Amino acid sequence: LQTLPPVRLAQKYFQIFPDERDPLWQNPCHDKRHKDIWSKEKTCDRLPKFLVIGPQKTGTTALHSFLALHPAITSSFPSPVTFEEVQFFSGPNYQRGIDWYMDFFPVPSNVSTDFLFEKSANYFDTEVAPKRAAALLPRAKIISILINPADRAYSWYQHQRAHQDPVALNHTFHEVISAGPSSPAALLSLHRRCLQPGAYSSHLERWLHHYQPSQLLIVDGVQLRSSPAQVMDGIQKFLGVTPYYNYTQALTFDESKGFWCQKLEAGRTRCLGKSKGRKYPEMSLESRVFLSEYYREQNVELLRMLKRLGQPLPIWLRDELHNAS
Ligand code: A3P
């Protein structure tokens, strides 16, 4: 029997099996051979039961904060690196492995009733995320929030400006969305990042390739913003989480913030920070018309998909397609 030192052996292995260079993590407890060599000190339960996948700017932080109020639901610990989000399935963190990921979750005190979750808003439109998520969390439930993709793009653009992105500061929203192949590379890149997540039906099809329709819930972000308690009731049912938590009592509308917030004692509230629910001028009619056309096919596909899945149609989607027809 011949062998090599570990590093050279690994190099040799990946020469023979180049496809395996990219890991695809699975739950060690789902395979007896893996479970047998998995350390006795470790558990396989420090993993989320559900994911909030985004996309960005649809109300994901509000949903995260509302979920965290539930006594049986526990969020991942905030990451100091990635703006609080773990962003495991979507980027270089994936290479750090499942021990790294599990460390973001508390050891559940009662495995069957604790609902661990994490929200990373860029999972939604990251090509590899559904495949990776399904490999590790095949039984997880998946929640996505959708608002009109035009409003999402506009909110995202305002977010970039607030973060001093030089390209967003130097170009109007209309210039960003209408950029074409002859535009400078930096503008084109911003254009893509702004508009690509709004291709909702294409992204959702990818998730549905790896998860059953019954595992997916699509939340209307406009409704989440206007009637969060009602939306949270639907989410509790979808998750099958007990005890029932009364969000009507837990949330209150804060007039000065202009949003629903957590109700505290003595008439006080806890709202999301300044970066959520920003004040900015309305989108121009020109841009709205442009984006209605731009997203039309995707929106029609989304309508078909939601009908097929038997999921309720968001009001914004009906309005959008009604106005466009
Ligand atoms: P704007 O700041 O453009 O208004 P995300 O958390 O996914 O980045 O989404 C941010 C958006 O969530 C905000 O976009 C805001 O409109 C929306 N939102 C919905 N409910 C909210 C709430 N209760 N408090 C603050 N923002 C909320």
Side-chain angles (χ1 to χ4, degrees):
L1 183 71
Q2 267 193 335
T3 188
L4 291 167
V7 174
R8 281 184 48 212
L9 183 64
Q11 283 163 344
K12 184 90 201 150
Y13 181 89
F14 288 124
Q15 250 171 30
I16 303 171
F17 303 106
D19 288 352
E20 293 189 21
R21 256 184 223 143
D22 254 348
L24 190 64
W25 309 120
Q26 289 168 303
N27 186 322
C29 297
H30 289 174
D31 183 326
K32 192 181 170 323
R33 289 167 310 167
H34 293 164
K35 199 174 175 183
D36 288 347
I37 55 169
W38 189 240
S39 159
K40 294 275 171 286
E41 273 116 64
K42 292 183 188 178
T43 156
C44 294
D45 303 314
R46 283 178 80 182
L47 287 171
K49 274 199 187 149
F50 71 98
L51 298 174
V52 177
I53 58 169
Q56 285 178 312
K57 309 316 293 174
T58 55
T60 58
T61 315
L63 178 59
H64 179 276
S65 75
F66 299 157
L67 285 165
L69 298 176
H70 195 292
I73 296 179
T74 304
S75 157
S76 55
F77 304 126
S79 159
V81 191
T82 45
F83 313 105
E84 309 247 312
E85 296 183 347
V86 181
Q87 299 184 355
F88 177 64
F89 299 110
S90 50
N93 288 330
Y94 191 69
Q95 313 300 329
R96 298 175 190 253
I98 55 173
D99 274 328
W100 182 88
Y101 187 50
M102 285 186 180
D103 276 347
F104 279 96
F105 298 93
V107 178
S109 51
N110 181 339
V111 171
S112 60
T113 57
D114 276 7
F115 275 69
L116 301 180
F117 83 105
E118 64 124 341
K119 157 312 239 192
S120 294
N122 66 356
Y123 287 168
F124 179 81
D125 55 290
T126 301
E127 184 110 20
V128 287
K131 181 179 166 190
R132 288 174 172 179
L136 186 62
L137 313 168
R139 290 191 277 271
K141 294 205 169 166
I142 306 294
I143 300 178
S144 170
I145 313 172
L146 302 181
I147 60 173
N148 190 320
D151 294 320
R152 198 214 72 82
Y154 190 51
S155 168
W156 187 87
Y157 165 79
Q158 296 296 344
H159 180 79
Q160 299 311 307
R161 283 176 68 93
H163 282 264
Q164 308 296 315
D165 179 295
V167 189
L169 289 175
N170 278 331
H171 292 277
T172 64
F173 181 58
H174 204 74
E175 284 166 352
V176 173
I177 59 177
S178 58
S182 58
S183 306
L187 180 58
L188 258 187
S189 160
L190 195 76
H191 164 90
R192 263 188 238 110
R193 284 161 55 225
C194 182
L195 297 183
Q196 188 251 351
Y200 293 156
S201 75
S202 302
H203 298 304
L204 286 170
E205 282 297 358
R206 228 176 319 106
W207 283 92
L208 286 168
H209 193 73
H210 295 278
Y211 283 98
Q212 293 299 318
S214 60
Q215 290 175 279
L216 175 71
L217 180 72
I218 290 157
V219 169
D220 178 347
V222 179
Q223 208 189 356
L224 176 70
R225 183 172 163 163
S226 61
S227 323
Q230 198 186 331
V231 170
M232 295 312 291
D233 281 356
I235 292 179
Q236 291 188 76
K237 266 200 209 113
F238 168 70
L239 294 174
V241 60
T242 52
Y244 169 78
Y245 185 67
N246 187 342
Y247 279 95
T248 306
Q249 278 170 21
L251 304 177
T252 186
F253 189 79
D254 184 308
E255 293 293 342
S256 60
K257 174 82 179 168
F259 283 92
W260 286 83
C261 301
Q262 185 188 352
K263 192 194 279 181
L264 301 176
E265 275 164 22
R268 290 179 305 119
T269 58
R270 180 181 292 134
C271 299
L272 299 184
K274 279 200 206 80
S275 66
K276 304 294 167 184
R278 290 195 174 95
K279 307 240 183 306
Y280 42 78
E282 277 209 11
M283 190 192 318
S284 72
L285 187 61
E286 187 194 20
S287 295
R288 188 162 291 282
V289 170
F290 180 96
L291 288 177
S292 269
E293 190 49 40
Y294 182 90
Y295 283 124
R296 193 178 152 70
E297 232 171 82
Q298 279 285 334
N299 284 336
V300 170
E301 278 308 313
L302 178 66
L303 183 90
R304 282 202 193 112
M305 175 191 287
L306 293 175
K307 282 188 176 163
R308 188 180 86 216
L309 298 178
Q311 299 230 9
L313 304 181
I315 294 165
W316 62 260
L317 182 60
R318 277 191 224 182
D319 290 350
E320 177 64 37
L321 292 174
H322 182 74
N323 292 341
S325 60

Short mmCIF file of all heavy atoms in Angstrom, two decimals, residues 66 69-70 229 245-253 260-264 268-270:
data_model
loop_
_atom_site.label_atom_id
_atom_site.label_comp_id
_atom_site.label_asym_id
_atom_site.label_seq_id
_atom_site.Cartn_x
_atom_site.Cartn_y
_atom_site.Cartn_z
N PHE A 66 -39.48 40.85 13.95
CA PHE A 66 -40.78 40.35 14.44
C PHE A 66 -40.67 38.87 14.83
O PHE A 66 -41.19 38.45 15.85
CB PHE A 66 -41.88 40.52 13.37
CG PHE A 66 -42.13 41.96 12.96
CD1 PHE A 66 -42.71 42.25 11.73
CD2 PHE A 66 -41.79 43.01 13.80
CE1 PHE A 66 -42.94 43.57 11.34
CE2 PHE A 66 -42.02 44.34 13.42
CZ PHE A 66 -42.59 44.62 12.18
N LEU A 69 -39.25 38.09 18.22
CA LEU A 69 -40.09 38.33 19.41
C LEU A 69 -40.81 37.06 19.86
O LEU A 69 -41.26 36.97 21.00
CB LEU A 69 -41.16 39.39 19.09
CG LEU A 69 -40.68 40.79 18.70
CD1 LEU A 69 -41.86 41.68 18.34
CD2 LEU A 69 -39.89 41.40 19.85
N HIS A 70 -40.92 36.11 18.95
CA HIS A 70 -41.68 34.89 19.27
C HIS A 70 -40.92 34.04 20.29
O HIS A 70 -39.72 33.80 20.12
CB HIS A 70 -41.90 34.10 17.97
CG HIS A 70 -42.94 33.05 18.10
ND1 HIS A 70 -42.77 31.93 18.88
CD2 HIS A 70 -44.18 32.94 17.57
CE1 HIS A 70 -43.86 31.18 18.81
NE2 HIS A 70 -44.72 31.77 18.02
N ALA A 229 -49.17 42.11 11.84
CA ALA A 229 -49.71 41.07 12.75
C ALA A 229 -50.40 39.98 11.94
O ALA A 229 -50.24 38.79 12.22
CB ALA A 229 -50.67 41.70 13.76
N TYR A 245 -48.30 33.15 19.16
CA TYR A 245 -47.88 34.43 19.73
C TYR A 245 -48.74 35.54 19.14
O TYR A 245 -48.92 35.61 17.93
CB TYR A 245 -46.40 34.67 19.39
CG TYR A 245 -45.82 35.91 20.04
CD1 TYR A 245 -45.67 35.99 21.42
CD2 TYR A 245 -45.41 37.00 19.26
CE1 TYR A 245 -45.12 37.11 22.01
CE2 TYR A 245 -44.88 38.12 19.86
CZ TYR A 245 -44.73 38.17 21.23
OH TYR A 245 -44.20 39.30 21.82
N ASN A 246 -49.28 36.37 20.04
CA ASN A 246 -50.23 37.39 19.60
C ASN A 246 -49.50 38.67 19.18
O ASN A 246 -49.16 39.51 20.01
CB ASN A 246 -51.21 37.68 20.75
CG ASN A 246 -52.32 38.60 20.29
OD1 ASN A 246 -52.20 39.29 19.26
ND2 ASN A 246 -53.41 38.62 21.04
N TYR A 247 -49.27 38.81 17.88
CA TYR A 247 -48.54 39.98 17.38
C TYR A 247 -49.37 41.25 17.43
O TYR A 247 -48.82 42.35 17.42
CB TYR A 247 -48.03 39.70 15.95
CG TYR A 247 -46.76 38.87 15.94
CD1 TYR A 247 -46.81 37.49 15.79
CD2 TYR A 247 -45.52 39.47 16.11
CE1 TYR A 247 -45.65 36.73 15.80
CE2 TYR A 247 -44.34 38.72 16.13
CZ TYR A 247 -44.42 37.35 15.98
OH TYR A 247 -43.26 36.60 15.99
N THR A 248 -50.69 41.10 17.48
CA THR A 248 -51.53 42.31 17.58
C THR A 248 -51.18 43.05 18.87
O THR A 248 -51.17 44.28 18.92
CB THR A 248 -53.02 41.91 17.55
OG1 THR A 248 -53.21 41.12 16.39
CG2 THR A 248 -53.92 43.12 17.50
N GLN A 249 -50.89 42.28 19.91
CA GLN A 249 -50.53 42.92 21.18
C GLN A 249 -49.07 43.35 21.23
O GLN A 249 -48.71 44.26 21.97
CB GLN A 249 -50.81 41.96 22.33
CG GLN A 249 -52.27 41.98 22.74
CD GLN A 249 -52.61 40.85 23.71
OE1 GLN A 249 -51.71 40.30 24.37
NE2 GLN A 249 -53.88 40.52 23.78
N ALA A 250 -48.24 42.68 20.45
CA ALA A 250 -46.80 42.92 20.56
C ALA A 250 -46.33 44.12 19.72
O ALA A 250 -45.30 44.71 20.00
CB ALA A 250 -46.03 41.68 20.11
N LEU A 251 -47.10 44.46 18.69
CA LEU A 251 -46.67 45.52 17.76
C LEU A 251 -47.59 46.72 17.83
O LEU A 251 -48.78 46.59 18.13
CB LEU A 251 -46.65 44.98 16.32
CG LEU A 251 -45.80 43.72 16.06
CD1 LEU A 251 -45.96 43.27 14.61
CD2 LEU A 251 -44.33 43.98 16.38
N THR A 252 -47.05 47.87 17.51
CA THR A 252 -47.86 49.08 17.47
C THR A 252 -47.34 49.98 16.35
O THR A 252 -46.15 49.93 16.03
CB THR A 252 -47.83 49.80 18.84
OG1 THR A 252 -48.74 50.90 18.78
CG2 THR A 252 -46.46 50.33 19.19
N PHE A 253 -48.24 50.78 15.79
CA PHE A 253 -47.81 51.68 14.71
C PHE A 253 -47.20 52.93 15.34
O PHE A 253 -47.82 53.59 16.16
CB PHE A 253 -48.99 52.05 13.81
CG PHE A 253 -48.55 52.77 12.57
CD1 PHE A 253 -48.01 52.07 11.49
CD2 PHE A 253 -48.64 54.16 12.49
CE1 PHE A 253 -47.57 52.74 10.35
CE2 PHE A 253 -48.21 54.83 11.35
CZ PHE A 253 -47.67 54.12 10.28
N TRP A 260 -44.63 50.02 11.64
CA TRP A 260 -44.96 49.20 12.81
C TRP A 260 -43.68 48.87 13.57
O TRP A 260 -42.65 48.58 12.96
CB TRP A 260 -45.68 47.93 12.38
CG TRP A 260 -47.09 48.21 11.96
CD1 TRP A 260 -47.49 48.64 10.74
CD2 TRP A 260 -48.26 48.12 12.78
NE1 TRP A 260 -48.85 48.81 10.72
CE2 TRP A 260 -49.35 48.50 11.96
CE3 TRP A 260 -48.51 47.75 14.10
CZ2 TRP A 260 -50.67 48.52 12.44
CZ3 TRP A 260 -49.81 47.75 14.57
CH2 TRP A 260 -50.87 48.14 13.74
N CYS A 261 -43.78 48.92 14.90
CA CYS A 261 -42.61 48.70 15.75
C CYS A 261 -43.03 47.83 16.93
O CYS A 261 -44.22 47.62 17.17
CB CYS A 261 -42.11 50.05 16.30
SG CYS A 261 -41.67 51.21 14.99
N GLN A 262 -42.04 47.39 17.67
CA GLN A 262 -42.33 46.61 18.88
C GLN A 262 -42.90 47.53 19.95
O GLN A 262 -42.37 48.63 20.17
CB GLN A 262 -41.03 45.95 19.38
CG GLN A 262 -41.26 45.03 20.56
CD GLN A 262 -39.93 44.54 21.15
OE1 GLN A 262 -38.86 44.77 20.58
NE2 GLN A 262 -40.01 43.89 22.29
N LYS A 263 -43.96 47.07 20.59
CA LYS A 263 -44.58 47.87 21.65
C LYS A 263 -43.83 47.60 22.97
O LYS A 263 -43.68 46.44 23.37
CB LYS A 263 -46.04 47.44 21.80
CG LYS A 263 -46.88 48.37 22.65
CD LYS A 263 -48.21 47.72 23.04
CE LYS A 263 -49.24 47.81 21.94
NZ LYS A 263 -50.53 47.20 22.32
N LEU A 264 -43.36 48.66 23.62
CA LEU A 264 -42.71 48.49 24.92
C LEU A 264 -43.65 49.03 25.99
O LEU A 264 -44.76 49.47 25.69
CB LEU A 264 -41.37 49.23 24.94
CG LEU A 264 -40.33 48.80 23.90
CD1 LEU A 264 -39.09 49.68 23.99
CD2 LEU A 264 -39.94 47.33 24.09
N ARG A 268 -43.93 53.38 25.04
CA ARG A 268 -42.70 53.50 24.23
C ARG A 268 -42.67 52.43 23.14
O ARG A 268 -43.41 51.44 23.21
CB ARG A 268 -41.47 53.40 25.14
CG ARG A 268 -41.30 54.63 26.05
CD ARG A 268 -40.10 54.53 26.96
NE ARG A 268 -40.12 53.31 27.76
CZ ARG A 268 -39.20 52.35 27.71
NH1 ARG A 268 -38.16 52.48 26.91
NH2 ARG A 268 -39.30 51.28 28.45
N THR A 269 -41.81 52.65 22.15
CA THR A 269 -41.70 51.67 21.07
C THR A 269 -40.23 51.38 20.78
O THR A 269 -39.36 52.19 21.09
CB THR A 269 -42.32 52.21 19.75
OG1 THR A 269 -41.65 53.42 19.41
CG2 THR A 269 -43.81 52.45 19.87
N ARG A 270 -40.00 50.23 20.17
CA ARG A 270 -38.65 49.94 19.65
C ARG A 270 -38.80 49.69 18.15
O ARG A 270 -39.41 48.71 17.73
CB ARG A 270 -38.05 48.71 20.34
CG ARG A 270 -36.64 48.41 19.80
CD ARG A 270 -36.00 47.20 20.44
NE ARG A 270 -35.68 47.41 21.85
CZ ARG A 270 -35.95 46.54 22.82
NH1 ARG A 270 -36.56 45.41 22.54
NH2 ARG A 270 -35.63 46.82 24.07
#
